[in-house]
Amino acid sequence: MTPLLRAFCAGVALIASAACSTETRSADVARDTSATATGMPVTPAPAEPAPGNQSVASWRVTEFGIGPLRAGMTAREAVATLHGAGISATADSSRTCHYLGWSGPTGVKVMLDGGVVARVQVDSGTIATKEGAKIGDSESQIQSLYPNRVTVQPHKYVTTGHYLVVAPVAPTDSAFRLLFETDGKSVTKYRAGKQPQVSYVEGCS
């Protein structure tokens, strides 16, 4: 190979190398620019905790149930939901109306009827409703927490007592209720869930 030809080949190789280097840098810049344009985070944002992962102490009662547990869930769905919240639970499918065996909040029972969650009842303890109502509250407090939603009915067993029945806000939820039992002055227990089970005075008896 003549000196002139060797010089020509070396020049071609140098140009090709520079072109490849420029293309690589351009591709890197394009990737960086794309990431910035799409707002890709350097570190993924933490996911919001699911309701079932919240502390049981933070659970509140609504006309639909308590925490992640909802009236209308099948026994299987209820057990799976509670297990997801770290609570052991078992249902007896051979019985029509019965209470769920569970390690949930003290003083709280879950009624199943026909294999479906029917109601949650709070017989003792400090578990409150979403609006803050709890055992020990006065009748006037319940009225103020649920303005224009309370119907007062006479208690079946307590002469001076009442049932304070709270209707849901949305007409489409008319099958659900909150029901507070009182001694005529303050709340002694309360329950939430679907009609007619939420109104059963004797529970599953």
Side-chain angles (χ1 to χ4, degrees):
M1 180 181 292
T2 65
L4 181 60
L5 184 58
R6 279 200 300 271
F8 174 76
C9 290
V12 170
L14 180 60
I15 293 171
S17 176
C20 290
S21 177
T22 301
E23 182 178 355
T24 300
R25 286 197 300 273
S26 297
D28 290 340
V29 171
R31 283 195 293 269
D32 292 343
T33 303
S34 175
T36 302
T38 56
M40 291 172 56
V42 176
T43 302
E48 289 295 324
N53 293 330
Q54 294 175 352
S55 166
V56 174
S58 71
W59 286 8
R60 294 294 178 262
V61 176
T62 70
E63 59 265 41
F64 308 110
I66 180 172
L69 190 68
R70 293 289 182 267
M73 282 183 172
T74 66
R76 184 185 297 274
E77 290 171 337
V79 169
T81 297
L82 293 170
H83 284 180
I87 293 177
S88 62
T90 56
D92 186 350
S93 58
S94 66
R95 300 171 62 189
T96 302
C97 185
H98 69 286
Y99 290 96
L100 187 72
W102 75 330
S103 61
T106 302
V108 181
K109 295 180 179 179
V110 178
M111 177 192 287
L112 291 95
D113 193 11
V116 174
V117 175
R119 85 183 195 192
V120 172
Q121 60 189 64
V122 181
D123 295 334
S124 63
T126 59
I127 291 290
T129 68
K130 180 181 177 181
E131 291 77 10
K134 60 187 181 301
I135 292 175
D137 283 353
S138 67
E139 291 191 355
S140 60
Q141 284 177 294
I142 301 302
Q143 293 276 7
S144 64
L145 287 171
Y146 303 95
N148 304 314
R149 294 172 57 190
V150 180
T151 300
V152 181
Q153 301 175 353
H155 199 288
K156 184 176 181 179
Y157 297 112
V158 181
T159 304
T160 58
H162 301 108
Y163 299 118
L164 306 183
V165 184
V166 181
V169 175
T172 53
D173 297 327
S174 60
F176 300 89
R177 293 286 188 279
L178 270 169
L179 193 154
F180 298 87
E181 291 192 36
T182 80
D183 57 9
K185 295 182 178 180
S186 57
V187 176
T188 57
K189 60 181 68 175
Y190 69 96
R191 51 189 182 266
K194 297 184 69 175
Q195 293 279 39
Q197 293 92 339
V198 72
S199 297
Y200 289 172
V201 176
E202 287 82 13
C204 284
S205 299

Coordinates of all heavy atoms in Angstrom, one line a residue, residues 44-110:
P44 N -39.6 6.1 42.5 CA -41.1 6.0 42.5 C -41.7 6.5 43.7 O -41.3 6.2 44.9 CB -41.3 4.4 42.3 CG -40.0 4.0 41.7 CD -38.9 4.9 42.3
A45 N -42.9 7.2 43.6 CA -43.6 7.7 44.8 C -44.3 6.5 45.5 O -44.7 5.5 44.9 CB -44.7 8.7 44.3
P46 N -44.3 6.5 46.8 CA -44.9 5.4 47.6 C -46.4 5.4 47.3 O -47.1 6.4 47.1 CB -44.6 5.8 49.0 CG -44.4 7.3 49.0 CD -43.8 7.6 47.7
A47 N -46.9 4.1 47.2 CA -48.4 4.0 46.9 C -49.2 4.3 48.2 O -48.7 4.2 49.3 CB -48.6 2.5 46.6
E48 N -50.4 4.8 47.9 CA -51.3 5.1 49.1 C -51.7 3.8 49.8 O -51.9 2.8 49.1 CB -52.6 5.8 48.6 CG -52.3 7.2 48.1 CD -51.9 8.2 49.2 OE1 -52.4 8.0 50.3 OE2 -51.1 9.0 49.0
P49 N -51.7 3.8 51.1 CA -52.1 2.6 51.8 C -53.5 2.2 51.5 O -54.4 3.1 51.4 CB -51.9 2.9 53.3 CG -52.1 4.4 53.3 CD -51.5 4.9 52.0
A50 N -53.8 0.9 51.3 CA -55.1 0.4 51.1 C -55.9 0.5 52.4 O -55.3 0.4 53.4 CB -55.1 -1.0 50.5
P51 N -57.3 0.6 52.3 CA -58.0 0.7 53.5 C -57.8 -0.5 54.5 O -57.8 -0.3 55.7 CB -59.5 0.7 53.0 CG -59.4 1.2 51.6 CD -58.1 0.8 51.1
G52 N -57.6 -1.7 53.9 CA -57.3 -2.8 54.7 C -56.0 -2.7 55.5 O -55.8 -3.5 56.4
N53 N -55.1 -1.9 55.1 CA -53.8 -1.8 55.7 C -53.8 -0.7 56.8 O -52.8 -0.5 57.4 CB -52.7 -1.5 54.7 CG -52.5 -2.7 53.8 OD1 -52.7 -3.8 54.2 ND2 -52.1 -2.5 52.6
Q54 N -54.9 0.0 57.0 CA -54.9 1.1 58.0 C -55.0 0.4 59.4 O -55.5 -0.7 59.5 CB -56.1 2.0 57.7 CG -56.1 2.8 56.5 CD -57.3 3.6 56.2 OE1 -58.3 3.4 56.9 NE2 -57.3 4.4 55.2
S55 N -54.6 1.1 60.4 CA -54.7 0.6 61.7 C -56.1 0.4 62.1 O -57.0 1.2 61.8 CB -54.1 1.7 62.7 OG -54.4 1.4 64.0
V56 N -56.4 -0.7 62.8 CA -57.8 -1.0 63.2 C -58.3 0.1 64.1 O -59.5 0.4 64.1 CB -57.8 -2.4 63.9 CG1 -59.2 -2.6 64.5 CG2 -57.4 -3.5 63.0
A57 N -57.4 0.7 64.9 CA -57.8 1.8 65.8 C -58.4 3.0 65.0 O -59.1 3.8 65.6 CB -56.7 2.2 66.6
S58 N -58.0 3.1 63.7 CA -58.5 4.2 62.9 C -59.8 3.9 62.2 O -60.4 4.8 61.6 CB -57.5 4.6 61.9 OG -57.4 3.7 60.9
W59 N -60.3 2.7 62.3 CA -61.5 2.3 61.6 C -62.7 3.1 62.2 O -62.8 3.3 63.4 CB -61.8 0.8 61.8 CG -60.9 0.0 60.9 CD1 -59.9 0.4 60.2 CD2 -61.0 -1.4 60.8 NE1 -59.3 -0.7 59.5 CE2 -60.0 -1.8 59.9 CE3 -61.9 -2.4 61.3 CZ2 -59.8 -3.2 59.5 CZ3 -61.7 -3.7 60.9 CH2 -60.7 -4.1 60.0
R60 N -63.6 3.5 61.4 CA -64.9 4.2 61.8 C -66.1 3.5 61.2 O -66.0 2.8 60.2 CB -64.8 5.6 61.3 CG -63.7 6.4 62.0 CD -64.0 6.6 63.5 NE -62.9 7.3 64.2 CZ -61.9 6.8 64.8 NH1 -61.8 5.4 64.8 NH2 -61.0 7.5 65.4
V61 N -67.2 3.6 61.9 CA -68.4 3.0 61.5 C -69.2 4.0 60.6 O -69.3 5.2 60.9 CB -69.3 2.6 62.7 CG1 -70.6 2.0 62.3 CG2 -68.5 1.6 63.5
T62 N -69.8 3.5 59.5 CA -70.8 4.2 58.7 C -72.0 3.3 58.6 O -72.0 2.2 59.1 CB -70.2 4.5 57.3 OG1 -70.1 3.3 56.6 CG2 -68.8 5.2 57.4
E63 N -73.0 3.8 57.9 CA -74.2 3.0 57.7 C -73.9 1.8 56.8 O -74.7 0.8 56.8 CB -75.3 3.8 57.0 CG -75.0 4.4 55.7 CD -74.5 5.8 55.8 OE1 -73.7 6.1 56.7 OE2 -74.9 6.6 55.0
F64 N -72.7 1.7 56.2 CA -72.4 0.6 55.3 C -71.5 -0.4 56.0 O -71.3 -1.5 55.4 CB -71.6 1.1 54.1 CG -72.3 2.3 53.4 CD1 -71.8 3.5 53.4 CD2 -73.5 2.0 52.7 CE1 -72.5 4.6 52.8 CE2 -74.2 3.0 52.1 CZ -73.7 4.3 52.1
G65 N -70.9 -0.2 57.2 CA -70.1 -1.1 57.8 C -69.0 -0.5 58.7 O -69.3 0.6 59.3
I66 N -67.9 -1.1 58.8 CA -66.8 -0.6 59.6 C -65.5 -0.8 58.8 O -65.2 -1.9 58.3 CB -66.7 -1.2 61.0 CG1 -65.6 -0.7 61.8 CG2 -66.6 -2.8 60.9 CD1 -65.6 -1.1 63.3
G67 N -64.6 0.2 58.8 CA -63.3 0.1 58.1 C -63.6 -0.4 56.7 O -64.4 0.1 56.0
P68 N -62.8 -1.4 56.3 CA -62.9 -1.9 54.9 C -64.1 -3.0 54.8 O -64.4 -3.4 53.7 CB -61.6 -2.6 54.7 CG -61.2 -3.1 56.0 CD -61.7 -2.0 57.0
L69 N -64.7 -3.3 55.9 CA -65.8 -4.3 55.9 C -67.1 -3.6 55.6 O -67.5 -2.7 56.2 CB -65.8 -5.0 57.3 CG -66.7 -6.2 57.4 CD1 -66.1 -7.4 56.6 CD2 -66.9 -6.6 58.8
R70 N -67.8 -4.2 54.6 CA -69.1 -3.6 54.1 C -70.2 -4.6 54.2 O -70.1 -5.7 53.8 CB -68.9 -3.1 52.7 CG -67.9 -2.0 52.5 CD -68.5 -0.7 53.1 NE -67.6 0.5 53.0 CZ -66.8 0.9 53.9 NH1 -66.6 0.2 55.0 NH2 -66.0 2.0 53.7
A71 N -71.4 -4.1 54.6 CA -72.6 -4.9 54.5 C -72.9 -5.2 53.1 O -72.8 -4.3 52.2 CB -73.8 -4.1 55.1
G72 N -73.2 -6.4 52.8 CA -73.4 -6.9 51.4 C -72.3 -7.7 50.9 O -72.5 -8.5 49.9
M73 N -71.1 -7.7 51.6 CA -70.0 -8.6 51.2 C -70.4 -10.0 51.5 O -71.1 -10.3 52.5 CB -68.8 -8.3 52.0 CG -68.0 -7.1 51.6 SD -66.5 -6.9 52.6 CE -65.6 -5.6 51.7
T74 N -70.0 -11.0 50.7 CA -70.2 -12.4 51.0 C -69.3 -12.7 52.2 O -68.3 -12.0 52.5 CB -69.9 -13.3 49.8 OG1 -68.5 -13.2 49.5 CG2 -70.7 -12.9 48.6
A75 N -69.5 -13.9 52.8 CA -68.7 -14.3 53.9 C -67.2 -14.5 53.4 O -66.3 -14.1 54.1 CB -69.2 -15.6 54.5
R76 N -67.1 -15.0 52.2 CA -65.7 -15.2 51.7 C -65.0 -13.9 51.5 O -63.8 -13.7 51.8 CB -65.8 -16.0 50.4 CG -64.4 -16.4 49.8 CD -64.6 -17.0 48.4 NE -65.4 -18.2 48.5 CZ -64.8 -19.4 48.7 NH1 -63.5 -19.5 48.9 NH2 -65.5 -20.5 48.8
E77 N -65.7 -12.9 50.9 CA -65.1 -11.6 50.7 C -64.8 -10.9 52.0 O -63.7 -10.3 52.2 CB -66.1 -10.7 49.9 CG -66.3 -11.1 48.5 CD -67.5 -10.4 47.8 OE1 -68.4 -9.9 48.5 OE2 -67.4 -10.3 46.6
A78 N -65.7 -11.1 53.0 CA -65.4 -10.5 54.3 C -64.2 -11.1 55.0 O -63.3 -10.3 55.5 CB -66.6 -10.7 55.2
V79 N -64.1 -12.4 55.0 CA -62.9 -13.0 55.6 C -61.6 -12.6 54.9 O -60.6 -12.3 55.5 CB -63.1 -14.6 55.6 CG1 -61.8 -15.3 55.9 CG2 -64.2 -15.0 56.5
A80 N -61.6 -12.6 53.5 CA -60.5 -12.2 52.8 C -60.1 -10.7 53.1 O -58.9 -10.4 53.2 CB -60.7 -12.4 51.3
T81 N -61.1 -9.9 53.2 CA -60.8 -8.5 53.5 C -60.2 -8.3 54.8 O -59.3 -7.5 55.0 CB -62.1 -7.6 53.4 OG1 -62.6 -7.7 52.0 CG2 -61.9 -6.2 53.7
L82 N -60.7 -9.0 55.8 CA -60.2 -8.9 57.2 C -58.8 -9.5 57.3 O -58.0 -8.9 58.0 CB -61.2 -9.5 58.1 CG -62.5 -8.8 58.3 CD1 -63.5 -9.7 59.1 CD2 -62.4 -7.5 59.0
H83 N -58.6 -10.6 56.6 CA -57.3 -11.2 56.6 C -56.3 -10.2 56.0 O -55.1 -10.1 56.5 CB -57.2 -12.5 55.8 CG -57.8 -13.6 56.6 ND1 -58.0 -14.9 56.0 CD2 -58.4 -13.7 57.8 CE1 -58.5 -15.7 56.9 NE2 -58.8 -15.0 58.0
G84 N -56.7 -9.5 55.0 CA -55.8 -8.5 54.4 C -55.5 -7.3 55.4 O -54.5 -6.6 55.2
A85 N -56.4 -7.1 56.3 CA -56.1 -6.1 57.3 C -55.4 -6.6 58.6 O -55.3 -5.9 59.6 CB -57.5 -5.5 57.8
G86 N -55.0 -7.9 58.5 CA -54.3 -8.5 59.6 C -55.2 -9.0 60.7 O -54.7 -9.3 61.8
I87 N -56.5 -9.3 60.4 CA -57.4 -9.7 61.4 C -57.9 -11.2 61.0 O -58.3 -11.4 59.9 CB -58.7 -8.8 61.5 CG1 -58.2 -7.5 62.0 CG2 -59.8 -9.4 62.3 CD1 -59.4 -6.5 62.1
S88 N -57.7 -12.1 61.9 CA -58.2 -13.4 61.7 C -59.7 -13.5 61.8 O -60.3 -12.8 62.6 CB -57.6 -14.4 62.7 OG -58.0 -14.1 64.0
A89 N -60.3 -14.2 60.9 CA -61.8 -14.3 60.8 C -62.3 -15.6 60.2 O -61.6 -16.1 59.3 CB -62.4 -13.1 60.0
T90 N -63.4 -16.1 60.7 CA -64.0 -17.3 60.2 C -65.5 -17.2 60.2 O -66.0 -16.5 61.0 CB -63.6 -18.6 61.0 OG1 -64.0 -18.4 62.4 CG2 -62.1 -18.8 61.0
A91 N -66.1 -17.7 59.1 CA -67.5 -17.7 59.0 C -68.1 -19.1 59.0 O -67.4 -20.0 58.4 CB -68.0 -16.9 57.8
D92 N -69.2 -19.4 59.6 CA -69.9 -20.7 59.6 C -70.9 -20.7 58.6 O -72.1 -20.2 58.8 CB -70.5 -20.9 61.0 CG -71.0 -22.4 61.1 OD1 -71.1 -23.1 60.1 OD2 -71.3 -22.8 62.3
S93 N -70.6 -21.3 57.4 CA -71.5 -21.3 56.3 C -72.7 -22.2 56.5 O -73.7 -22.1 55.8 CB -70.8 -21.7 55.0 OG -70.2 -23.0 55.1
S94 N -72.7 -23.0 57.5 CA -73.8 -23.9 57.8 C -74.9 -23.2 58.6 O -76.0 -23.8 58.7 CB -73.3 -25.2 58.6 OG -72.9 -24.8 59.9
R95 N -74.7 -22.0 59.1 CA -75.7 -21.3 59.8 C -76.2 -20.2 59.0 O -75.5 -19.4 58.4 CB -75.1 -20.9 61.2 CG -74.6 -22.0 62.0 CD -73.8 -21.4 63.2 NE -74.6 -20.6 64.1 CZ -74.2 -19.9 65.1 NH1 -72.8 -19.8 65.3 NH2 -75.0 -19.2 65.8
T96 N -77.5 -19.9 59.1 CA -78.2 -18.8 58.4 C -77.8 -17.5 59.0 O -77.1 -16.7 58.3 CB -79.7 -19.0 58.4 OG1 -80.0 -20.3 57.8 CG2 -80.3 -17.9 57.6
C97 N -78.2 -17.2 60.2 CA -77.8 -16.0 60.9 C -76.9 -16.3 62.0 O -77.2 -17.1 62.9 CB -79.1 -15.3 61.4 SG -78.8 -13.7 62.1
H98 N -75.7 -15.7 62.0 CA -74.7 -15.9 63.0 C -73.7 -14.7 63.0 O -73.7 -13.9 62.2 CB -74.0 -17.2 62.9 CG -73.1 -17.3 61.7 ND1 -73.5 -17.4 60.4 CD2 -71.7 -17.3 61.6 CE1 -72.5 -17.4 59.6 NE2 -71.4 -17.3 60.3
Y99 N -72.8 -14.8 64.0 CA -71.8 -13.7 64.1 C -70.5 -14.2 63.7 O -70.1 -15.4 64.1 CB -71.8 -13.2 65.6 CG -73.0 -12.4 65.9 CD1 -74.1 -13.0 66.6 CD2 -73.1 -11.0 65.5 CE1 -75.2 -12.3 66.9 CE2 -74.3 -10.3 65.8 CZ -75.3 -10.9 66.5 OH -76.5 -10.2 66.8
L100 N -69.8 -13.4 63.0 CA -68.4 -13.8 62.5 C -67.5 -14.0 63.7 O -67.5 -13.2 64.6 CB -67.9 -12.6 61.6 CG -66.6 -12.8 60.8 CD1 -66.9 -13.8 59.7 CD2 -66.1 -11.5 60.3
G101 N -66.7 -15.1 63.6 CA -65.6 -15.2 64.6 C -64.4 -14.4 64.1 O -63.9 -14.7 63.0
W102 N -64.0 -13.4 64.9 CA -62.9 -12.6 64.4 C -62.1 -12.0 65.6 O -62.5 -12.0 66.7 CB -63.4 -11.5 63.5 CG -64.2 -10.3 64.2 CD1 -64.9 -10.4 65.3 CD2 -64.2 -9.0 63.7 NE1 -65.4 -9.1 65.6 CE2 -65.0 -8.3 64.6 CE3 -63.7 -8.3 62.6 CZ2 -65.2 -6.9 64.5 CZ3 -63.9 -7.0 62.5 CH2 -64.7 -6.3 63.4
S103 N -61.0 -11.4 65.2 CA -60.1 -10.8 66.2 C -60.1 -9.3 66.1 O -59.1 -8.6 66.2 CB -58.7 -11.3 66.1 OG -58.1 -11.0 64.8
G104 N -61.3 -8.8 65.7 CA -61.4 -7.4 65.5 C -61.5 -6.6 66.7 O -61.3 -7.1 67.8
P105 N -61.9 -5.3 66.6 CA -62.0 -4.4 67.8 C -62.9 -5.0 68.9 O -64.0 -5.5 68.6 CB -62.6 -3.1 67.2 CG -62.3 -3.1 65.8 CD -62.3 -4.6 65.4
T106 N -62.5 -4.8 70.1 CA -63.3 -5.3 71.3 C -64.6 -4.6 71.3 O -64.7 -3.4 71.2 CB -62.5 -5.0 72.6 OG1 -61.2 -5.7 72.5 CG2 -63.3 -5.5 73.8
G107 N -65.6 -5.4 71.6 CA -67.0 -4.9 71.7 C -67.7 -4.7 70.4 O -68.9 -4.3 70.4
V108 N -67.1 -5.1 69.3 CA -67.7 -5.0 68.0 C -68.0 -6.4 67.4 O -67.2 -7.3 67.4 CB -66.8 -4.2 67.0 CG1 -67.5 -4.1 65.6 CG2 -66.5 -2.9 67.5
K109 N -69.3 -6.6 66.9 CA -69.7 -7.9 66.3 C -70.1 -7.6 64.9 O -70.6 -6.6 64.5 CB -70.8 -8.5 67.1 CG -70.5 -8.9 68.6 CD -71.7 -9.5 69.2 CE -71.4 -9.9 70.7 NZ -72.6 -10.5 71.3
V110 N -69.9 -8.7 64.1 CA -70.3 -8.7 62.7 C -71.3 -9.8 62.4 O -71.0 -10.9 62.6 CB -69.1 -8.8 61.8 CG1 -69.6 -8.8 60.3 CG2 -68.1 -7.7 62.0

